[in-house]
Amino acid sequence: MEHEQTIPEQRKEAESAPEPGTPDAAAAAPRRRGTRTVLLIAGAVVLGVLAGTITGYAIQYDREPTPLAPLAQQVIEIPDPLAPIDSTTLRSINANRWVKTDDDLTKLLLDAPGNAKAGMSGTESPDAFAADWYKAPGQGLTFQTRHGVRRIAARSWSENDRDFFTVRLFQYRDRSGASGYQSDHSYMSGKEYAGNEGKDFPGVPAQFGHMWIDSKSTQEPGYHPVRSARVIARRGDMVMEIKYENNRGDVDEDRLVDVAKRQWERL
């Protein structure tokens, strides 16, 4: 009985199946996946790129090297080396690597005017400078040492017993040290100093030079009124600082700028 009941059901399924080749049969057939086609295309792309790269290298390898453009100065004149003698110095040996800031720093100081009364002139040790310049010499010396001060040179003079100039040159191990000392003068705007923000030093970019003129003079009993001005400018690892005082309370700005510009041109 079970066999007879099963056969009719199978016949019904066979009868309900669509005939081959009919639209219904095409719709009922499962789709074939395109994986093989994708892999073939990807492989062809990789082979094409690889073949193009190899061909490019092969062509470039067979080509002659492209010559560089000619130099503007074909021959650089270099002095012939000389045998050392009794007068040979470190500078003469390293003449081609020597710059003027490696020489005696005092040679870069501006000369005092002919009609001026000369004051101190020469090199100055960092501790002597700190003792003369800073209210707290120990902290000042630490500041200079931290920024890598190498050498300090100074020259001072007075004109007509009224105008007093002091020019100092500082050389540091690198530009960051010089920049550190230059940027440390923000205190000049305080009342006990210039009392103002100052102004740009003519002819020098604002980030490398500045000048201050005291807003008012100071006077102690029994003395003339004193008014000060200052210029500070940096070039490379060098800093120049010019202090100008007038003991009549009258600062000549044009004179200060003239002195500062001539010192700047020597750096």
mmCIF file of all heavy atoms in Angstrom, residues 100 235 240 259-267:
data_model
loop_
_atom_site.group_PDB
_atom_site.id
_atom_site.type_symbol
_atom_site.label_atom_id
_atom_site.label_comp_id
_atom_site.label_asym_id
_atom_site.label_seq_id
_atom_site.Cartn_x
_atom_site.Cartn_y
_atom_site.Cartn_z
ATOM 1 N N LYS A 100 84.208 85.548 9.665
ATOM 2 C CA LYS A 100 84.716 86.668 10.457
ATOM 3 C C LYS A 100 84.292 86.597 11.923
ATOM 4 O O LYS A 100 84.982 87.139 12.790
ATOM 5 C CB LYS A 100 84.274 87.990 9.844
ATOM 6 C CG LYS A 100 82.766 88.174 9.743
ATOM 7 C CD LYS A 100 82.453 89.486 9.056
ATOM 8 C CE LYS A 100 80.958 89.728 8.914
ATOM 9 N NZ LYS A 100 80.673 91.009 8.226
ATOM 10 N N ARG A 235 71.722 88.562 14.472
ATOM 11 C CA ARG A 235 72.079 88.057 13.148
ATOM 12 C C ARG A 235 72.805 86.733 13.331
ATOM 13 O O ARG A 235 73.933 86.691 13.825
ATOM 14 C CB ARG A 235 72.945 89.047 12.385
ATOM 15 C CG ARG A 235 73.481 88.511 11.060
ATOM 16 C CD ARG A 235 74.148 89.582 10.242
ATOM 17 N NE ARG A 235 73.173 90.433 9.578
ATOM 18 C CZ ARG A 235 73.483 91.539 8.903
ATOM 19 N NH1 ARG A 235 74.744 91.931 8.838
ATOM 20 N NH2 ARG A 235 72.544 92.253 8.326
ATOM 21 N N MET A 240 73.733 91.927 19.022
ATOM 22 C CA MET A 240 74.323 93.214 19.401
ATOM 23 C C MET A 240 73.334 93.940 20.307
ATOM 24 O O MET A 240 72.117 93.899 20.095
ATOM 25 C CB MET A 240 74.646 94.069 18.177
ATOM 26 C CG MET A 240 73.456 94.706 17.517
ATOM 27 S SD MET A 240 73.941 95.927 16.260
ATOM 28 C CE MET A 240 72.392 96.843 16.066
ATOM 29 N N VAL A 259 74.246 104.993 15.215
ATOM 30 C CA VAL A 259 75.238 104.128 15.854
ATOM 31 C C VAL A 259 74.847 102.665 15.682
ATOM 32 O O VAL A 259 75.682 101.807 15.342
ATOM 33 C CB VAL A 259 75.390 104.492 17.343
ATOM 34 C CG1 VAL A 259 76.257 103.453 18.065
ATOM 35 C CG2 VAL A 259 76.003 105.876 17.502
ATOM 36 N N ALA A 260 73.577 102.368 15.890
ATOM 37 C CA ALA A 260 73.125 100.981 15.791
ATOM 38 C C ALA A 260 73.250 100.448 14.369
ATOM 39 O O ALA A 260 73.654 99.297 14.159
ATOM 40 C CB ALA A 260 71.679 100.883 16.271
ATOM 41 N N LYS A 261 72.922 101.260 13.379
ATOM 42 C CA LYS A 261 73.033 100.802 12.002
ATOM 43 C C LYS A 261 74.479 100.533 11.600
ATOM 44 O O LYS A 261 74.781 99.537 10.929
ATOM 45 C CB LYS A 261 72.435 101.850 11.057
ATOM 46 C CG LYS A 261 70.916 101.817 10.970
ATOM 47 C CD LYS A 261 70.418 102.781 9.907
ATOM 48 C CE LYS A 261 68.911 102.647 9.708
ATOM 49 N NZ LYS A 261 68.408 103.574 8.656
ATOM 50 N N ARG A 262 75.384 101.392 12.034
ATOM 51 C CA ARG A 262 76.795 101.169 11.692
ATOM 52 C C ARG A 262 77.346 99.919 12.369
ATOM 53 O O ARG A 262 78.169 99.204 11.797
ATOM 54 C CB ARG A 262 77.613 102.408 12.040
ATOM 55 C CG ARG A 262 77.331 103.582 11.099
ATOM 56 C CD ARG A 262 78.325 104.703 11.250
ATOM 57 N NE ARG A 262 78.145 105.437 12.501
ATOM 58 C CZ ARG A 262 79.068 105.522 13.454
ATOM 59 N NH1 ARG A 262 80.241 104.910 13.290
ATOM 60 N NH2 ARG A 262 78.852 106.210 14.543
ATOM 61 N N GLN A 263 76.897 99.648 13.588
ATOM 62 C CA GLN A 263 77.322 98.414 14.259
ATOM 63 C C GLN A 263 76.696 97.190 13.580
ATOM 64 O O GLN A 263 77.357 96.168 13.395
ATOM 65 C CB GLN A 263 76.928 98.452 15.726
ATOM 66 C CG GLN A 263 77.294 97.183 16.504
ATOM 67 C CD GLN A 263 78.781 96.877 16.470
ATOM 68 O OE1 GLN A 263 79.569 97.547 17.110
ATOM 69 N NE2 GLN A 263 79.170 95.859 15.718
ATOM 70 N N TRP A 264 75.469 97.306 13.162
ATOM 71 C CA TRP A 264 74.783 96.205 12.476
ATOM 72 C C TRP A 264 75.489 95.846 11.172
ATOM 73 O O TRP A 264 75.610 94.667 10.824
ATOM 74 C CB TRP A 264 73.338 96.592 12.217
ATOM 75 C CG TRP A 264 72.543 95.609 11.424
ATOM 76 C CD1 TRP A 264 72.219 95.687 10.103
ATOM 77 C CD2 TRP A 264 71.968 94.394 11.892
ATOM 78 N NE1 TRP A 264 71.479 94.607 9.716
ATOM 79 C CE2 TRP A 264 71.310 93.772 10.794
ATOM 80 C CE3 TRP A 264 71.944 93.739 13.122
ATOM 81 C CZ2 TRP A 264 70.636 92.578 10.899
ATOM 82 C CZ3 TRP A 264 71.265 92.530 13.234
ATOM 83 C CH2 TRP A 264 70.626 91.955 12.129
ATOM 84 N N GLU A 265 75.967 96.846 10.454
ATOM 85 C CA GLU A 265 76.634 96.603 9.182
ATOM 86 C C GLU A 265 77.969 95.876 9.363
ATOM 87 O O GLU A 265 78.472 95.266 8.418
ATOM 88 C CB GLU A 265 76.861 97.924 8.458
ATOM 89 C CG GLU A 265 75.564 98.587 7.966
ATOM 90 C CD GLU A 265 75.789 99.988 7.474
ATOM 91 O OE1 GLU A 265 76.943 100.487 7.591
ATOM 92 O OE2 GLU A 265 74.818 100.603 6.994
ATOM 93 N N ARG A 266 78.533 95.905 10.544
ATOM 94 C CA ARG A 266 79.821 95.247 10.787
ATOM 95 C C ARG A 266 79.660 93.758 11.095
ATOM 96 O O ARG A 266 80.654 93.027 11.096
ATOM 97 C CB ARG A 266 80.558 95.933 11.942
ATOM 98 C CG ARG A 266 80.973 97.357 11.616
ATOM 99 C CD ARG A 266 81.643 97.999 12.837
ATOM 100 N NE ARG A 266 82.917 97.391 13.139
ATOM 101 C CZ ARG A 266 84.100 97.819 12.700
ATOM 102 N NH1 ARG A 266 84.151 98.874 11.901
ATOM 103 N NH2 ARG A 266 85.212 97.208 13.037
ATOM 104 N N LEU A 267 78.449 93.333 11.379
ATOM 105 C CA LEU A 267 78.230 91.920 11.718
ATOM 106 C C LEU A 267 78.167 91.055 10.452
ATOM 107 O O LEU A 267 77.720 91.497 9.420
ATOM 108 C CB LEU A 267 76.940 91.773 12.528
ATOM 109 C CG LEU A 267 76.911 92.476 13.888
ATOM 110 C CD1 LEU A 267 75.607 92.200 14.600
ATOM 111 C CD2 LEU A 267 78.099 92.051 14.747
#
